Amino acid sequence: MERRKTKKIMVGNVPVGGDAPIAVQSMCNTDTRDIAATLGQMERLRHAGCKIVRVAVVDKEAAFAIGKLAEKAEMPIVADIHFDWKLAIEAAAAGAAKIRINPGNIGDDDRVNEVVRACRSRNIPIRIGVNGGSLEKGVLEKYGVSARGLVESAKSHIFILEKFDFDDICISVKASSVALTVDSYRLLSKEVDYPLHLGVTEAGTVRIGRLKSAIGIGGLLLDGIGDTIRVSLTEDPVCEVETAYDILHSIGMSENVPQLVSCPSCGRTMIDLIHIAKEVEERLSGIKKPIKVAVMGCVVNGPGEAREADIGMAGGKEQGILFKKGEIVKKVPMDKIVDELILMAQEI
Ligand code: SF4
């Protein structure tokens, strides 16, 4: 899969776009003004692998809080601002690494110019965040809530920044409909080369939200589209980060992580495959290698069906087999097979 070439921008010390790895982001749901709570959540997010974190800037106090947060947080902070251009300037001065604001919502040119100056002088990019639920009246009248509508809205904001010679830009065109999200990003990626921030917005609670995000974000990534991702869930944001990595992992885009291949089991299975596969998955999480490991339910078909795996096991009634690239290498009693498979994974 070839990734679409985009312009590289820097969000603090994290590169986004160009040949940079896909950056996982999330957003705090704490009150930004509550420094202890927000820093605590940022730390949990960072621990989960989050690379960039966004906070809502609702007033001056929240904009100033970014200064205190940026001193202690070990990742770049994005200030999320709706409409109030003065807050954007204050957040930039306080230490935000990126500002999310739509220039078309700021008002006259002088104000946009001031925001652009505040960002340019500190190398702070601006994310234009278009949302299917809040398209401008003119766009709605002309295009309705459609991919063309989202893209034209994004382009009108881009145009304003480019007018001020500002191109340190990242863009998102999110919708709560997966199909509209995917269509919009596909269209946008043909028309601009700025880095794209992917997400399905208001995706819902964990069960369906994870699926919507996996289909939308995962599908676009497989098209080579997307430079940074945020999964939106009505859940603890740590779950968003975990889901983002699961998406990257399941499409083979995470680095140095083993992939588990396991069969659904069937009437030929004589072992507790569900339990074994879960145990293997858990124990593989400590191994940092890009290997494919198979866990199969029967010795007759298992090795052949999992031929593309680097190593694997197939279970029988008392004995199982270990195999490499579909070739049997060893017979092992079932009570030792998981240990032996993990050993093989560590040594390969
Ligand atoms: S590997 Fe064996 S147990 Fe698993 S689905 Fe195939 S035939 Fe059934």
Side-chain angles (χ1 to χ4, degrees):
M1 189 268 302
E2 210 176 304
R3 263 177 80 191
R4 192 183 61 101
K5 289 258 177 308
T6 53
K7 176 182 156 52
K8 189 189 279 185
I9 62 167
M10 292 300 295
V11 181
N13 59 358
V14 178
V16 172
D19 56 0
I22 307 289
V24 171
Q25 21 185 321
S26 184
M27 183 165 181
C28 286
N29 60 8
T30 50
D31 182 335
T32 308
R33 297 162 293 197
D34 184 339
I35 306 289
T38 305
L39 273 178
Q41 190 169 66
M42 283 182 179
E43 189 49 25
R44 290 196 305 119
L45 288 167
R46 191 182 66 83
H47 197 251
C50 185
K51 297 287 187 274
I52 299 170
V53 67
R54 184 157 46 116
V55 296
V57 176
V58 292
D59 59 12
K60 262 188 175 194
E61 204 189 324
F64 293 144
I66 288 185
K68 291 191 192 124
L69 295 168
E71 261 172 39
K72 300 233 169 89
E74 290 180 51
M75 62 185 150
I77 299 173
V78 182
D80 190 274
I81 295 155
H82 291 180
F83 305 105
D84 191 337
W85 61 286
K86 283 188 184 154
L87 291 181
I89 290 169
E90 272 149 13
K98 183 164 84 170
I99 305 286
R100 187 243 165 146
I101 192 164
N102 288 348
N105 299 343
I106 293 177
D108 63 44
D109 275 6
D110 291 345
R111 292 173 176 184
V112 178
N113 194 23
E114 282 201 49
V115 172
V116 163
R117 274 175 48 197
C119 290
R120 196 197 323 265
S121 62
R122 300 176 178 89
N123 295 322
I124 299 174
I126 293 178
R127 167 153 73 95
I128 292 167
V130 171
N131 191 315
S134 52
L135 288 173
E136 302 81 3
K137 200 164 165 257
V139 170
L140 276 177
E141 280 167 8
K142 200 160 175 193
Y143 305 103
V145 183
S146 64
R148 178 48 73 192
L150 270 83
V151 169
E152 289 305 320
S153 170
K155 282 166 66 179
S156 70
H157 294 297
I158 295 169
F159 177 73
I160 296 172
L161 292 181
E162 286 179 341
K163 215 168 68 175
F164 291 93
D165 236 354
F166 189 86
D167 63 357
D168 200 0
I169 299 173
C170 180
I171 311 164
S172 62
V173 279
K174 301 184 186 182
S176 57
S177 147
V178 178
L180 180 56
T181 302
V182 169
D183 285 350
S184 304
Y185 278 101
R186 281 183 180 153
L187 193 58
L188 182 66
S189 72
K190 287 189 194 129
E191 302 188 14
V192 303
D193 66 355
Y194 291 114
L196 300 184
H197 164 121
L198 300 187
V200 176
T201 195
E202 295 126 23
T205 51
V206 173
R207 187 173 163 198
I208 294 299
R210 279 171 65 97
L211 279 175
K212 283 187 180 177
S213 302
I215 296 164
I217 296 173
L220 286 163
L221 289 172
L222 287 172
D223 278 351
I225 297 169
D227 302 285
T228 176
I229 63 176
R230 191 251 168 138
V231 171
S232 301
L233 296 175
T234 312
E235 202 20 278
D236 183 332
V238 168
C239 186
E240 298 185 347
V241 175
E242 289 165 351
T243 303
Y245 278 99
D246 285 346
I247 293 171
L248 292 171
H249 185 183
S250 56
I251 56 172
M253 286 183 76
S254 50
E255 290 165 352
N256 285 339
V257 181
Q259 292 263 0
L260 180 73
V261 177
S262 60
C263 81
S265 78
C266 68
R268 295 176 192 85
T269 315
M270 287 182 277
I271 56 171
D272 180 359
L273 191 68
I274 297 174
H275 182 255
I276 292 174
K278 280 186 185 154
E279 186 186 345
V280 171
E281 185 175 46
E282 176 93 30
R283 290 177 64 178
L284 282 176
S285 65
I287 298 175
K288 303 289 173 227
K289 288 181 194 169
I291 49 169
K292 210 175 247 188
V293 181
V295 175
M296 306 298 280
C298 75
V299 293
V300 183
N301 296 337
E305 286 185 20
R307 199 173 293 280
E308 96 276 23
D310 297 297
I311 59 169
M313 58 148 284
K317 199 168 182 191
E318 273 145 22
Q319 278 203 322
I321 50 172
L322 294 172
F323 54 88
K324 278 188 180 171
K325 298 274 179 201
E327 301 296 329
I328 299 170
V329 291
K330 202 174 181 185
K331 284 192 177 166
V332 186
M334 277 312 292
D335 59 347
K336 299 263 180 334
I337 201 158
V338 173
D339 289 346
E340 293 256 359
L341 180 69
I342 297 300
L343 201 63
M344 240 167 111
Q346 284 161 344
E347 286 173 354
I348 194 175

